[in-house]
Amino acid sequence: GWEICETPWTVQSLWWHYRYSMDREFLRRRAFEPMREAVRFLAAYMRRPEAHGPAWGDDRYHIFPTVVPELHGLSPGLRLNRDCLVDLTLTKFLFQAYVQACQFLQLEQQEFETLRSVREILEHFPPYPTAPSRAGTVFVSVAGEDSETVYNTPNPLMTVFPGEDHGLHSPPAEVQTLVNTWKNQRNEGGNELVFLNLQAARLGLLDLEKFKRQVAYCTLPNGTCADKVLQVHGRYDDSTPYDYMGRMGVWFENFSLPAVINECLLQSYPGPLRLFPNWPKNSNASFKTLRAVGAFLVSAEISAGQVKWIELLAEAGGRLEIINPWPGPVRVA
């Protein structure tokens, strides 16, 4: 309940549903109201005198107090309880989604006051926290945190997933910080099987063979996957049973494992379609009707390191952008 990120996270999938289906009636009748209420709470929370003003020494609107997911708790002086990376990225995601939803539904006059507040906050939004490390500058879960922190949930790359603010589309300097973060991040094993590997896939850094070994390691006798211990120095020590989480039942979050492979084959969350962004060039593959942002169903094949063809079905019409996987011009049939 202390994690402010849970508010935008709760309604995030409503916006995903709209973006991947383009179902405007769903947005109007079911998604918009809970999104708007979450936005109003977050905007009011960030505009409180305790979270903005001269005491902060800047003109930004802060998320304070809050707690990093599954880490730190309440720290002395609340030193590690402000502007957590996951709070920032998910709040920004929801604010931007709300602005777009108001445009799509032609509610800008009706939502004028909330929109003005949201836009002002976005113009004075805190930066994502970083820290020096042996790998270079990296993102961390909260300002003041040691870059050698061992995480349970993969907090430092949440701007990639679920925040969707960063990825292969980011400027080169930002991509380098993301790569440094991936190389430096230490995860003990707890909520990472989908989370951490999906972040890597979105950066084109996932080793698929290593991923398959981890899935095999985490597979239970009933065919589902738990999360198993990966390292010590966080919550675990050398006496922790590797499979202790497997005794607690089914871990339903891991039912989304196929999403990791999907992101290796096709990415669309920034808007343009990117084909085979994390697929080994020496491995042939094809897929059929993967759903992309914009309500496009996409099929494609890669062979001998080359994309052979792309086929698309538009369920809702609208603008389509594809990052050209070929060196020359494209023929549309």
Side-chain angles (χ1 to χ4, degrees):
W2 297 341
E3 299 172 9
I4 298 302
C5 66
E6 302 298 344
T7 296
W9 216 339
T10 299
V11 297
Q12 181 182 43
S13 59
L14 298 175
W15 183 243
W16 278 341
H17 184 101
Y18 170 70
R19 288 195 78 208
Y20 283 82
S21 70
M22 300 305 292
D23 185 342
R24 194 161 296 210
E25 283 306 299
F26 168 83
L27 179 61
R28 184 186 307 277
R29 296 180 182 275
R30 298 184 63 185
F32 183 75
E33 186 173 349
M35 288 174 57
R36 178 184 60 195
E37 293 308 306
V39 165
R40 287 176 174 174
F41 166 75
L42 290 164
Y45 197 75
M46 296 179 74
R47 294 179 69 92
R48 291 161 38 251
E50 297 87 349
H52 172 73
W56 289 87
D58 58 35
D59 62 352
R60 302 183 188 276
Y61 293 92
H62 298 273
I63 299 178
F64 170 81
T66 185
V67 170
V68 178
E70 305 192 22
L71 194 67
H72 301 315
L74 294 176
S75 60
L78 300 180
R79 184 177 66 88
L80 300 175
N81 298 106
R82 59 194 69 195
D83 295 335
C84 300
L85 181 140
V86 64
D87 299 316
L88 295 176
T89 191
L90 288 174
T91 298
K92 183 187 289 187
F93 177 102
L94 179 58
F95 281 178
Q96 292 173 339
Y98 167 76
V99 171
Q100 293 178 57
C102 288
Q103 294 169 348
F104 296 156
L105 298 177
Q106 298 181 331
L107 295 174
E108 290 178 292
Q109 184 172 356
Q110 177 180 323
E111 297 291 319
F112 177 79
E113 289 298 331
T114 304
L115 277 169
R116 182 172 64 176
S117 179
V118 164
R119 286 171 171 148
E120 182 180 353
I121 293 172
L122 286 173
E123 289 173 2
H124 301 87
F125 209 75
Y128 293 126
T130 60
S133 79
R134 290 173 291 182
T137 300
V138 298
F139 290 109
V140 290
S141 69
V142 64
E145 181 180 80
D146 191 322
S147 61
E148 294 297 306
T149 298
V150 178
Y151 298 102
N152 182 45
T153 58
N155 293 311
L157 285 175
M158 285 195 183
T159 59
V160 177
F161 176 82
E164 301 193 339
D165 197 22
H166 289 156
L168 292 172
H169 59 285
S170 298
E174 223 163 52
V175 171
Q176 186 59 59
T177 302
L178 297 168
V179 171
N180 295 347
T181 305
W182 166 254
K183 291 178 178 178
N184 184 71
Q185 184 175 188
R186 301 170 66 186
N187 193 283
E188 65 190 5
N191 293 93
E192 87 304 325
L193 185 58
V194 174
F195 231 139
L196 189 64
N197 291 301
L198 198 151
Q199 291 170 343
R202 285 194 166 180
L203 294 173
L205 297 172
L206 180 63
D207 182 329
L208 280 166
E209 292 303 317
K210 184 178 179 181
F211 173 58
K212 288 194 290 186
R213 292 195 299 272
Q214 186 180 2
V215 171
Y217 168 58
C218 292
T219 300
L220 301 175
N222 65 6
T224 66
C225 287
D227 293 273
K228 293 189 178 180
V229 173
L230 298 179
Q231 75 157 81
V232 296
H233 304 307
R235 298 179 304 169
Y236 311 144
D237 58 36
D238 289 332
S239 65
T240 304
Y242 279 42
D243 63 347
Y244 84 98
M245 294 181 74
R247 305 168 192 174
M248 302 179 190
V250 173
W251 293 86
F252 68 90
E253 63 199 56
N254 291 333
F255 289 160
S256 58
L257 266 174
V260 178
I261 301 300
N262 290 356
E263 292 290 321
C264 293
L265 300 170
L266 172 70
Q267 293 179 17
S268 65
Y269 70 96
L273 307 187
R274 189 186 297 269
L275 278 298
F276 302 102
N278 195 119
W279 199 257
K281 301 302 182 185
N282 60 350
S283 181
N284 297 342
S286 64
F287 62 85
K288 293 284 188 180
T289 60
L290 283 184
R291 182 169 291 277
V293 163
F296 296 105
L297 300 182
V298 186
S299 305
E301 178 184 2
I302 188 171
S303 179
Q306 296 293 322
V307 176
K308 297 300 182 183
W309 52 267
I310 308 169
E311 183 178 280
L312 297 110
L313 173 65
E315 289 187 332
R319 181 179 176 84
L320 170 67
E321 291 184 65
I322 303 177
I323 297 173
N324 186 2
W326 300 292
V330 176
R331 180 173 65 87
V332 179

